């Protein structure tokens, strides 16, 4: 216990071993879906799906534990969903390249991440982004999580035209899950002059919803709790990336696609989680974001070597933070559960989307609370508002690009057409350059 305390500084951050363990378990429960979703997204590449499952679990376990030990942060990492979809449906299925060359493109992007992280360039980029934009990124991520949770649970239609079909047992279970989770989360009991809450409410809600889903026919009890196929399948995809084959001019756009997806995904997640833990400074910077970027970059290189796409930090980490996780011990626990998933994947994959929906809703609402510290002057708020709305409809990286573009436009207009002509009113040269770079994604 003393060793854990000394390394992770558990008491110093206002936590306890029990809380960190619960936080790690909760984070795993909310993101266990990636173990099965990644093979589903990438099966049309012709890769061994059991191998993808094993690689996803192993890489997620090792890099998440590295995050806990090296950065002492309760942040879980796993192969990115978006990058897996790009590899499958933008590269392999259209016949532009096979999956080995596609992994080569992903590896080039990962190596670029590692170089930028080692020289702390990614860290400097974050420091130079305007404060309000950084706060807006966190809030935008929150509202994107809410939208994704509602749509994935089919509680609302993807086009937002009406509610889902509540005669569908899975949709009904999602609604029941929200009621259960919100009751447990907001329940307060006062006795003896003290107020108590259920610290493990999110994890309890996930387990209860999963159990309820069994008689409803939403959750299927597996015939075996052990993963079939074994580690041998991993050899069919590991160390197969064709980097030399990916070094062709026509593949630059895809390398950029992998790069943009991971860069902004990790940026938004790190700032959002830092805001949630109250660890951002007065300028909206996250002092230890450099370590987070470095671990993320190492994970991307390892991931592409093992046969999956670039690794990124997952917003589901916020579920563990919400139950009190404040140190890397939570990440170590999450990583251990990913290791167990290698052997017992069917057991963990019983968790339905309905069980994690309310947890993600709460996370989204919590992350949007950062807006209370924003400057609501019209010229400051409009770019943030555009960022949030764009993130809601188009995605994280697109939202950041549109938000920065609006910021530069509004600031320039104020300088040109009002009496406020101080040079401090103009966007900095770096902000302009960075904005132009983010807009590349709209043309690839």
């Amino acid at each position: 216990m003393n060793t854990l305390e000394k390394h992770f500084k558990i008491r110093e951050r206002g936590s306890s071993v029990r809380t960190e363990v619960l936080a790690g378990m909760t984070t795993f429960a909310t993101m266990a879906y990636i173990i099965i979703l990644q093979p589903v997204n990438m099966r049309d590449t012709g890769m061994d799906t059991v191998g993808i499952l094993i690689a996803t679990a192993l890489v997620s376990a090792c890099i998440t534990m590295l995050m806990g030990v090296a950065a002492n942060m309760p942040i879980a990492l796993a192969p990115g969903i978006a990058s897996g979809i790009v590899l499958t449906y933008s590269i392999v299925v259209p016949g532009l390249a096979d999956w080995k060359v596609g992994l080569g493109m992903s590896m080039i992007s990962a190596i670029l991440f590692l170089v930028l992280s080692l020289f702390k360039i990614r860290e400097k980029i974050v420091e130079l982004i305007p404060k309000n934009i950084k706060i807006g990124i966190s809030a935008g991520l929150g509202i994107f999580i809410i939208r994704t949770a509602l749509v994935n649970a089919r509680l609302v239609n993807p086009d937002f035209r009406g509610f889902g079909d509540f005669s569908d047992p899975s949709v009904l279970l999602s609604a029941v899950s929200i009621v259960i989770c919100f009751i447990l989360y907001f329940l307060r009991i006062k006795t003896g002059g003290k107020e108590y809450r259920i610290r493990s409410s999110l994890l309890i809600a996930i387990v209860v919803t999963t159990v309820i889903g069994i008689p409803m026919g939403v959750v299927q009890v597996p015939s075996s709790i052990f993963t079939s196929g074994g580690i041998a399948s991993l050899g069919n995809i590991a160390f197969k990336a064709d980097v030399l084959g990916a070094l062709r001019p026509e593949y630059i756009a895809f390398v950029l696609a992998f790069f943009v997806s991971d860069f902004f995904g990790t940026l938004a997640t790190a700032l959002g989680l830092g805001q949630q833990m109250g660890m951002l400074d007065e300028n909206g910077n996250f002092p230890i974001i450099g370590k987070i970027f470095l671990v993320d970059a190492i994970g991307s290189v390892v991931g592409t070597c093992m046969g999956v796409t670039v690794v990124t930090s997952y917003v589901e980490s916020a579920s563990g933070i919400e139950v009190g996780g404040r140190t890397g011990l939570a990440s170590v626990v999450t990583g251990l559960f990913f290791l167990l998933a290698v052997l017992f994947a069917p057991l963990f994959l019983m968790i339905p989307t309905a069980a994690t929906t309310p947890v993600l809703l709460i996370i989204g609402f919590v992350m949007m609370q950062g807006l209370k510290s924003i400057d609501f002057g019209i010229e400051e708020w409009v770019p943030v508002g555009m960022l949030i709305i764009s993130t809601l409809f188009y995605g994280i990286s697109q939202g950041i690009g549109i938000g920065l573009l609006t910021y530069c436009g509004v600031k320039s207009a104020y300088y040109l057409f009002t009496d406020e002509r101080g040079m401090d009113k103009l966007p900095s040269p770096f902000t302009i350059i960075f904005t132009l770079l983010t807009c590349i994604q709209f043309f690839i």
Side-chain angles (χ1 to χ4, degrees):
M1 295 295 289
N2 289 334
T3 302
L4 290 176
E5 174 59 39
K6 183 178 180 180
H7 182 81
F8 294 109
K9 301 177 181 179
I10 298 173
R11 292 195 188 93
E12 182 181 320
R13 294 193 181 180
S15 187
S16 66
V17 172
R18 174 181 176 276
T19 298
E20 295 300 308
V21 171
L22 284 173
M25 293 170 62
T26 302
T27 295
F28 174 79
T30 57
M31 64 180 290
Y33 67 86
I34 188 61
I35 300 172
I36 192 63
L37 190 59
Q38 196 72 350
V40 168
N41 286 339
M42 297 175 67
R43 63 187 172 190
D44 289 338
T45 61
M47 300 173 70
D48 186 319
T49 53
V50 175
I52 297 173
L53 186 151
I54 298 297
T56 299
L58 282 176
V59 171
S60 301
C62 295
I63 302 305
T64 297
M65 286 192 284
L66 179 62
M67 177 67 77
V69 174
N72 196 20
M73 287 299 297
I75 298 177
L77 302 94
I81 297 174
S83 56
I85 292 174
V86 169
L87 173 64
T88 304
Y89 298 106
S90 296
I91 297 174
V92 179
V93 172
L96 300 178
D98 62 24
W99 62 267
K100 295 179 182 178
V101 174
L103 283 178
M105 300 178 206
S106 183
M107 180 170 286
I108 293 172
S109 173
I111 293 171
L112 180 58
F113 277 129
L114 184 57
V115 172
L116 292 178
S117 299
L118 287 173
F119 288 96
K120 300 185 177 180
I121 297 175
R122 293 173 78 183
E123 191 174 350
K124 294 298 181 183
I125 290 174
V126 176
E127 291 177 0
L128 293 171
I129 294 175
K131 179 182 178 180
N132 267 15
I133 294 295
K134 283 184 280 198
I135 296 174
I137 289 173
S138 174
L141 184 60
I143 199 169
F144 184 75
I145 291 172
I146 293 171
R147 175 193 184 279
T148 302
L150 292 175
V151 170
N152 287 349
R154 292 182 290 170
L155 286 167
V156 297
N157 294 320
D159 57 5
F160 294 104
R161 295 181 179 179
F163 294 106
D165 181 8
F166 283 88
S167 65
D168 185 331
S170 62
V171 177
L172 181 60
L173 182 61
S174 296
V176 172
S177 178
I178 291 175
V179 174
I180 294 172
C181 185
F182 278 31
I183 289 176
L184 293 176
Y185 182 78
F186 291 105
L187 180 64
R188 300 292 185 272
I189 300 175
K190 291 184 177 181
T191 179
K194 295 183 178 181
E195 184 177 89
Y196 298 92
R197 57 176 293 191
I198 303 175
R199 295 299 298 271
S200 55
S201 57
L202 300 182
L203 183 59
I204 293 173
I206 290 172
V207 174
V208 170
T209 301
T210 301
V211 173
I212 293 175
I214 295 174
M216 292 180 65
V218 177
V219 177
Q220 301 297 322
V221 179
S223 57
S224 173
I225 64 173
F226 298 102
T227 304
S228 61
I231 301 297
S233 297
L234 184 61
N236 295 327
I237 64 170
F239 305 105
K240 303 291 186 182
D242 184 359
V243 176
L244 293 178
L247 293 174
R248 296 172 59 177
E250 60 264 38
Y251 295 148
I252 292 177
F254 294 112
V255 173
L256 286 174
F258 286 125
F259 182 88
V260 169
S261 174
D262 189 30
F263 183 91
F264 288 113
T266 299
L267 170 64
T269 300
L271 290 176
L273 299 179
Q275 175 78 33
Q276 186 182 359
M277 291 186 289
M279 295 181 68
L280 301 187
D281 62 21
E282 64 277 6
N283 296 315
N285 294 320
F286 198 178
I288 65 170
I289 199 169
K291 290 183 178 180
I292 296 172
F293 281 152
L294 182 57
V295 174
D296 175 84
I298 293 172
S300 291
V301 174
V302 172
T304 51
C305 285
M306 296 300 292
V308 290
T309 50
V310 290
V311 168
T312 188
S313 302
Y314 266 64
V315 295
E316 283 81 358
S317 305
S319 62
I321 293 172
E322 185 56 26
V323 301
R326 292 295 180 273
T327 76
L329 180 58
S331 291
V332 173
V333 173
T334 302
L336 289 174
F337 271 88
F338 270 115
L339 283 180
L340 287 175
V342 174
L343 299 175
F344 306 104
L347 183 62
F348 292 112
L349 296 176
M350 287 176 57
I351 301 172
T353 299
T356 59
T357 295
V359 176
L360 295 176
L361 291 179
I362 288 175
I363 292 169
F365 292 133
V366 170
M367 296 182 78
M368 291 182 68
Q369 285 184 308
L371 290 174
K372 63 186 178 184
S373 61
I374 207 168
D375 181 354
F376 278 98
I378 190 64
E379 74 278 10
E380 297 289 345
W381 166 242
V382 167
V384 176
M386 284 294 293
L387 186 155
I388 293 173
I389 295 300
S390 300
T391 300
L392 172 65
F393 288 103
Y394 304 118
I396 297 168
S397 61
Q398 295 89 338
I400 293 174
I402 292 173
L404 283 169
L405 192 62
T406 305
Y407 174 86
C408 291
V410 170
K411 287 293 185 179
S412 298
Y414 257 72
Y415 177 79
L416 293 172
F417 303 116
T418 71
D419 294 330
E420 301 181 35
R421 293 182 177 271
M423 291 299 293
D424 60 320
K425 298 297 181 182
L426 279 173
S428 68
F430 167 81
T431 302
I432 295 174
I433 294 172
F434 185 62
T435 299
L436 293 176
L437 290 175
T438 63
C439 290
I440 293 175
Q441 64 184 302
F442 301 123
F443 303 99
I444 60 176

